[in-house]
């Protein structure tokens, strides 16, 4: 069971959830268009789990064997209960979000809000840790550490190597592109490029492929 699993790890809480769902299904069987046989398939598994639980949770009859039986019957029930919830309830158009909430089940957003267009440029810092190596650290403005803004999947770094310290006048003159999803981005250069100037600028790209505004063009000597 994952961190955000709707099924509780506590066996008594799991029993409460299962009984609540089964009771709601009984009441709404026709409205939700669930076949009686599909719902009834849960019943013997629920009964087996209830019986094992009553023994394992009773201090007078609680043994390692009774706990193993409880866990086994729970696993058998869960194996059928999960697909039932997904197929007959969560993906059933007749089951409303309020119905799911009443059963203690999660309500999934099937129409997520699109990632916003990037409206700012990344903060860039450049370092030269080794000969022929330049590292570019990037982060969102006002973000902690190297965090990216919400909805952003990568940073595009465009560069140009020249003999001149004067940077290009326009970003379109930066003729090489790299994508980085994590900071820093490391660029390695050949020996004959050492001593030349690297001009660079970055911009965000969101999960829909929309690109944001450019940063200022920075310039650094390739060490």
């Amino acid at each position: 069971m994952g961190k955000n699993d709707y099924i509780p790890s506590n066996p008594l809480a799991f029993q409460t959830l299962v009984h609540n769902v089964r009771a709601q299904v009984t009441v709404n069987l026709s409205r939700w268009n669930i076949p009686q046989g599909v719902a009834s398939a849960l019943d013997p598994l629920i009964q087996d789990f209830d019986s094992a639980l009553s023994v394992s949770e009773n201090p007078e009859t609680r043994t390692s064997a009774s706990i193993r039986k409880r866990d086994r019957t729970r696993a058998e029930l869960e194996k059928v209960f999960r697909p039932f919830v997904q197929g007959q309830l969560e993906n059933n158009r007749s089951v409303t979000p309020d119905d799911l909430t009443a059963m203690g089940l999660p309500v999934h957003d099937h129409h997520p809000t699109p990632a916003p267009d990037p409206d700012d440029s990344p903060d860039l810092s450049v370092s030269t840790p080794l000969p022929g190596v330049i590292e570019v650290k990037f982060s969102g403005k006002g973000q902690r550490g190297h965090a990216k803004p919400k909805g952003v999947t990568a940073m595009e770094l465009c560069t140009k190597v020249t003999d001149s310290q004067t940077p290009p006048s326009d970003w379109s003159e930066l003729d090489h592109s790299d994508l980085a999803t994590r900071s820093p981005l490391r660029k390695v250069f050949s020996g004959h490029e050492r001593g030349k100037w690297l001009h660079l600028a970055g911009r965000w790209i969101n999960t829909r492929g929309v690109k944001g505004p450019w940063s200022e063009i920075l310039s650094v000597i390739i060490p």
Side-chain angles (χ1 to χ4, degrees), residues 143-162:
Q143 302 284 333
R144 284 189 173 186
H146 303 305
K148 301 188 293 289
K150 183 178 180 180
V152 164
T153 187
M155 190 272 295
E156 180 185 23
L157 186 77
C158 286
T159 59
K160 185 178 183 67
V161 176
T162 70

Side-chain angles (χ1 to χ4, degrees), residues 65-129:
S66 68
I67 293 173
R68 285 196 300 271
K69 184 175 181 180
R70 178 202 70 190
D71 292 344
R72 187 185 73 251
T73 56
R74 173 189 172 130
E76 291 170 353
L77 171 57
E78 197 171 323
K79 190 184 299 183
V80 176
F81 182 71
R82 283 182 183 276
F84 177 84
V85 168
Q86 183 177 13
Q88 301 297 327
L89 301 175
E90 291 183 340
N91 293 319
N92 185 340
R93 293 184 178 180
S94 299
V95 179
T96 68
D98 287 343
D99 291 332
L100 293 172
T101 300
M103 287 184 282
L105 299 175
V107 178
H108 300 292
D109 184 4
H110 296 289
H111 303 284
T113 303
D117 292 352
D119 59 3
D120 208 346
S121 59
D123 278 338
L124 305 180
S125 62
V126 182
S127 63
T128 54

Side-chain angles (χ1 to χ4, degrees), residues 176-198:
H176 186 83
S177 176
D178 294 285
L179 290 181
T181 58
R182 297 181 64 182
S183 178
L185 185 154
R186 172 174 284 209
K187 291 185 65 66
V188 180
F189 298 89
S190 61
H192 73 267
E193 292 175 306
R194 296 183 64 188
K196 294 187 177 184
W197 285 87
L198 178 71

